[in-house]
Amino acid sequence: MTTPHALDGVTVEIYDTTLRDGAQQEGMNLTVADKLAIAPLLDELGVAVIEGGWPGAIPKDTEFFGRVEKELELPRAQIAAFGSTRKAGGRAHDDVQVRGLLDSGAPIVTLVAKSDVRHVERALRTTPEENLAMITDTVRYLREAGRRVIVDAEHFFDGYRYDSDYALRAVEAAFAAGASDVVLCDTNGGMLPDWVHAIVTDVASRTNGTLGIHAHNDSGCAVANSVAAVVAGARHVQGTINGYGERTGNADLLAVVANLELKLGARCLAPGALAEATRIAHAVSEVTNIPPYGRQPYIGASAFAHKAGLHASAIKVDPDMYQHIDPTLVGNDMRMLVSDMAGRASIELKGRELGFDLTGQPELLARVVDRVKNAEAEGYTFDAADASFALMLREEIDGARPAYFRVESWRASVNYSERVGGDGESEATVKLHAGGERVVRTGEGNGPVNALDHALRDALRGIYPEIETFELIDFRVRLLDTSHGTDAVTRVLIQTTDGTDVWSTVGVGANILEASYEALVDALVYGLVARGVEIR
């Protein structure tokens, strides 16, 4: 029996504020070019409104609005300019910042307005009645100028809990002046879902107009609070891609939308757009230069990753037994992780993921399981090193790994001299056999590992020019037994790319150089195998 969705047939407007509120995240500094790169991605996702920033107050945002109409085509989304109500004691048509909102040319203006009487009196230092007049005057002025006006009722939930009558008067003033939506803001992020549901239910019953929700994540409930608000009657949701924002961030729009569409049946994005969520979120991460969070719900690399052997046995029968949705609905995929917890089912499923059919080969599976468990006891980890595991699997299937080259010896050194300013000079020499030749190369680099990487590549590029596209993009080191101090076993994980694919390898050794050498060699061999390069 299928349970009907609670929001079947309900349309929810999705409003993205990544370029304004999200950009307030610590460590994020979006240029105008960055904003112009992110906006089309948001449009492709299918959000209804993209908030571009605060024109007239922030020069960078003023430039963005000046360029967006000329340089971008956004077939789905409309751009919104963000600003505040007029100053106390003034008039909207005389307010410089209000005029800046009109001058931006944005068809939508979002006004932040005070709805907590304490903020009115202590922050604005004006009277409650004057604050209501500021809302009314500014909204009416912008509406008469032909703009759609959305009002963000700042600190609404805290204000409601302190003085619900005044908070409601602020909402009513905005609607009466012509606001299309009033967005109830959990500005401090301290609300819980039950509180949000009860308050939105009450506001919806006492006002006429479209309500929205703008939740921050300080209590860890921004996504849940956003969903609770929609269930209670809100039909407009504000948030950011990847949950960007100051302090602990804003509501992660992708998690909110996935919950509303897939669990509750609401219509939020264009049909099929949610299937692009993972790709677009990662593309935005590239522009912001903030690495994707692997454990992010729905779209993280670990969101549908399975490690326990018990899980793998069930997934082999039916993938849905340990997954709350089909990951392809959000553009993600299931991943099997190989570790000392792995059983035969885990290895078989992981092999299938990597292109190996291990069905009906119990002895091979048993050998691989034992080898994985023994290797992990020595310090290896394969749940983050698929390429190294693929090479291990190939060894067990074929009896040996592809012999593209054989390293005779290698050494690396750092020469340190006070006379040259205290800088270390790193150098590595590799002697190897490939293509019927004995090759000796020396490389220099920023540290001994970098020098070793250069020496290996230099020795091989004449025989295997394909490695010219390989680039090491991540390098992580971990000491596995810190009780031994500097004598501890070292594990190195590296990521390599050819500009299209990314693969991870692992090395373990008595020191960082031995571990790095093993991971570097695995990366080169796997890259050549994956590209179908023949041994020369």
Side-chain angles (χ1 to χ4, degrees):
M1 179 178 176
T2 302
T3 303
H5 292 126
L7 296 174
D8 275 342
V10 170
T11 298
V12 179
E13 182 177 63
I14 302 302
Y15 180 111
D16 183 277
T17 182
T18 301
L19 304 184
R20 200 272 307 173
D21 214 355
Q24 295 180 158
Q25 176 165 311
E26 184 177 4
M28 187 186 294
N29 183 24
L30 297 181
T31 65
V32 175
D34 292 335
K35 291 190 171 193
L36 291 170
I38 292 172
L41 294 170
L42 302 176
D43 180 76
E44 186 178 353
L45 181 64
V47 303
V49 183
I50 299 170
E51 187 176 85
W54 194 327
I58 301 174
K60 191 163 53 176
D61 291 350
T62 303
E63 180 185 348
F64 170 78
F65 281 94
R67 294 174 60 182
V68 68
E69 187 174 355
K70 300 174 184 176
E71 300 180 26
L72 296 183
E73 289 187 12
L74 304 175
R76 292 176 174 172
Q78 287 190 301
I79 294 289
F82 179 87
S84 65
T85 56
R86 67 158 173 84
K87 292 181 174 60
R91 295 181 297 180
H93 65 272
D94 293 329
D95 192 291
V96 174
Q97 289 194 9
V98 174
R99 287 295 314 175
L101 297 173
L102 284 180
D103 293 343
S104 73
I108 301 172
V109 173
T110 300
L111 292 173
V112 61
K114 300 294 186 186
S115 58
D116 184 336
V117 70
R118 294 167 297 182
H119 281 263
V120 172
E121 295 173 340
R122 300 174 194 173
L124 290 183
R125 297 186 178 182
T126 191
T127 66
E129 292 303 322
E130 173 62 7
N131 178 60
L132 298 180
M134 292 159 61
I135 295 172
T136 299
D137 187 21
T138 313
V139 172
R140 185 173 294 151
Y141 172 69
L142 292 170
R143 286 289 297 122
E144 289 174 353
R147 302 298 192 269
R148 175 187 169 188
V149 181
I150 298 169
V151 172
D152 281 3
E154 190 182 33
H155 295 284
F156 178 83
F157 291 95
D158 292 311
Y160 179 96
R161 285 159 65 89
Y162 178 77
D163 184 341
S164 62
D165 288 340
Y166 187 78
L168 282 165
R169 288 180 67 195
V171 172
E172 290 166 346
F175 280 136
S180 64
D181 309 74
V182 175
V183 182
L184 312 181
C185 300
D186 182 18
T187 309
N188 290 342
M191 295 295 109
L192 299 178
D194 285 351
W195 302 352
V196 169
H197 187 277
I199 292 172
V200 174
T201 298
D202 182 55
V203 176
S205 70
R206 296 168 64 182
T207 58
N208 292 313
T210 302
L211 296 176
I213 178 69
H214 180 116
H216 284 255
N217 201 40
D218 299 74
S219 61
C221 293
V223 171
N225 286 342
S226 299
V227 173
V230 173
V231 171
R235 295 295 178 261
H236 170 109
V237 173
Q238 296 186 0
T240 61
I241 297 298
N242 299 324
Y244 297 140
E246 62 182 336
R247 306 189 310 277
T248 58
N250 288 48
D252 181 350
L253 268 186
L254 296 176
V256 174
V257 168
N259 285 329
L260 292 176
E261 287 200 355
L262 302 178
K263 303 298 180 73
L264 298 176
R267 293 192 298 267
C268 302
L269 304 177
L274 188 58
E276 301 298 322
T278 300
R279 176 182 63 81
I280 290 173
H282 291 175
V284 173
S285 292
E286 288 296 318
V287 180
T288 63
N289 200 30
I290 295 175
Y293 176 45
R295 297 177 67 186
Q296 189 173 348
Y298 287 102
I299 65 166
S302 300
F304 301 96
H306 305 277
K307 188 170 184 176
L310 180 63
H311 289 202
S313 298
I315 287 170
K316 185 179 175 183
V317 176
D318 181 356
D320 291 339
M321 294 182 74
Y322 275 96
Q323 295 184 157
H324 68 112
I325 65 159
D326 176 356
T328 62
L329 294 174
V330 291
N332 209 338
D333 203 356
M334 182 182 75
R335 293 170 55 235
M336 295 305 303
L337 305 179
V338 175
S339 73
D340 56 1
M341 297 181 185
R344 295 184 184 183
S346 295
I347 299 299
E348 184 176 340
L349 288 170
K350 186 64 181 180
R352 186 182 306 164
E353 181 184 319
L354 295 172
F356 299 96
D357 185 1
L358 307 180
T359 306
Q361 302 185 62
E363 294 182 0
L364 172 63
L365 290 171
R367 290 202 312 270
V368 175
V369 168
D370 288 344
R371 187 167 172 183
V372 167
K373 291 184 177 182
N374 290 335
E376 294 227 346
E378 295 173 5
Y380 290 87
T381 179
F382 297 104
D383 58 4
D386 280 0
S388 288
F389 175 73
L391 291 176
M392 175 194 289
L393 201 56
R394 188 174 290 273
E395 284 182 34
E396 291 297 328
I397 293 171
D398 298 337
R401 69 166 56 195
Y404 287 101
F405 55 90
R406 178 177 63 84
V407 176
E408 178 183 315
S409 65
W410 63 270
R411 62 181 174 84
S413 62
V414 178
N415 299 317
Y416 182 86
S417 173
E418 290 286 354
R419 289 180 299 177
V420 292
D423 292 330
E425 298 176 347
S426 298
E427 184 178 279
T429 299
V430 172
K431 300 177 183 179
L432 57 79
H433 298 262
E437 304 176 26
R438 181 176 185 267
V439 184
V440 180
R441 291 289 187 274
T442 297
E444 296 179 338
N446 181 21
V449 174
N450 186 234
L452 182 58
D453 184 31
H454 286 171
L456 276 168
R457 292 166 185 271
D458 193 33
L460 291 170
R461 64 167 47 94
I463 300 160
Y464 298 106
E466 292 85 355
I467 68 171
E468 288 284 2
T469 63
F470 298 179
E471 180 185 2
L472 193 155
I473 57 174
D474 193 19
F475 179 87
R476 286 172 284 168
V477 180
R478 182 175 177 185
L479 299 181
L480 298 179
D481 186 358
T482 55
S483 63
H484 288 276
T486 56
D487 193 33
V489 173
T490 303
R491 179 168 69 213
V492 167
L493 285 163
I494 70 173
Q495 278 192 335
T496 306
T497 184
D498 62 356
T500 302
D501 298 318
V502 176
W503 58 96
S504 301
T505 52
V506 61
V508 172
N511 56 64
I512 189 173
L513 284 175
E514 289 183 27
S516 298
Y517 165 76
E518 183 178 12
L520 287 169
V521 168
D522 272 11
L524 294 172
V525 172
Y526 178 83
L528 293 171
V529 169
R531 265 129 219 87
V533 177
E534 294 184 358
I535 296 173
R536 295 163 188 156

